[in-house]
Amino acid sequence: SSGINAEYGGLTHSSLQSSVMVLKNMVSFEDVDDDLEDEIREECSKYGSVKKVSVYQEAQSEAEDAEIVVKIFVQFDKTSECEVAVNSLNGRWFGGRSIVATLYDEQRYLRDELSG
């Protein structure tokens, strides 16, 4: 039974069922261009049917020189596809950066609450 508990323990933080994932630390603010959404869509299509890609640039404070964090939201057709994508992309290296991929609350995404 310890095996089951160990497995369950690993899943508790992502018991969320969602068809939306968010990618962080994939690109810097300077790297955002018109091709980025297409590149992400193409990459993520390996894991399932991509409904939408949204690139969100979030200033970390009100200051003019505030750090800007780029979050890339990818909405899949199915939650199962999204989970595969998160598991495949999280921790992967992309252009010298280690990607952080996590599931994102679908309801918040649909309400355009992207700062979570």
Side-chain angles (χ1 to χ4, degrees):
S1 66
S2 62
I4 293 169
N5 287 343
E7 196 177 344
Y8 181 73
L11 294 172
T12 46
H13 68 282
S14 62
S15 54
L16 184 68
Q17 282 277 309
S18 179
S19 63
V20 180
M21 77 171 169
V22 58
L23 300 169
K24 298 178 196 169
N25 200 44
M26 191 165 188
V27 294
S28 70
F29 171 62
E30 292 81 16
D31 294 330
V32 175
D33 60 25
D34 294 342
D35 299 326
L36 183 62
E37 281 185 28
D38 290 337
E39 287 171 20
I40 301 292
R41 180 181 292 273
E42 197 173 315
E43 180 64 33
C44 292
S45 293
K46 297 174 188 170
Y47 307 110
S49 173
V50 176
K51 280 168 93 167
K52 191 178 175 194
V53 175
S54 312
V55 176
Y56 179 69
Q57 300 175 32
E58 180 178 83
Q60 297 303 291
S61 74
E62 298 297 316
E64 274 184 37
D65 61 349
E67 183 195 356
I68 294 176
V69 170
V70 180
K71 296 177 178 179
I72 300 161
F73 292 87
V74 183
Q75 184 181 20
F76 287 90
D77 218 18
K78 303 188 181 82
T79 56
S80 55
E81 296 170 338
C82 189
E83 282 177 21
V84 171
V86 166
N87 291 332
S88 304
L89 291 168
N90 190 40
R92 240 181 70 185
W93 288 89
F94 180 84
R97 303 162 78 97
S98 177
I99 302 170
V100 178
T102 50
L103 290 175
Y104 195 80
D105 188 313
E106 208 169 306
Q107 294 310 312
R108 290 181 66 181
Y109 175 79
L110 296 172
R111 288 197 299 265
D112 264 344
E113 293 174 18
L114 304 183
S115 59

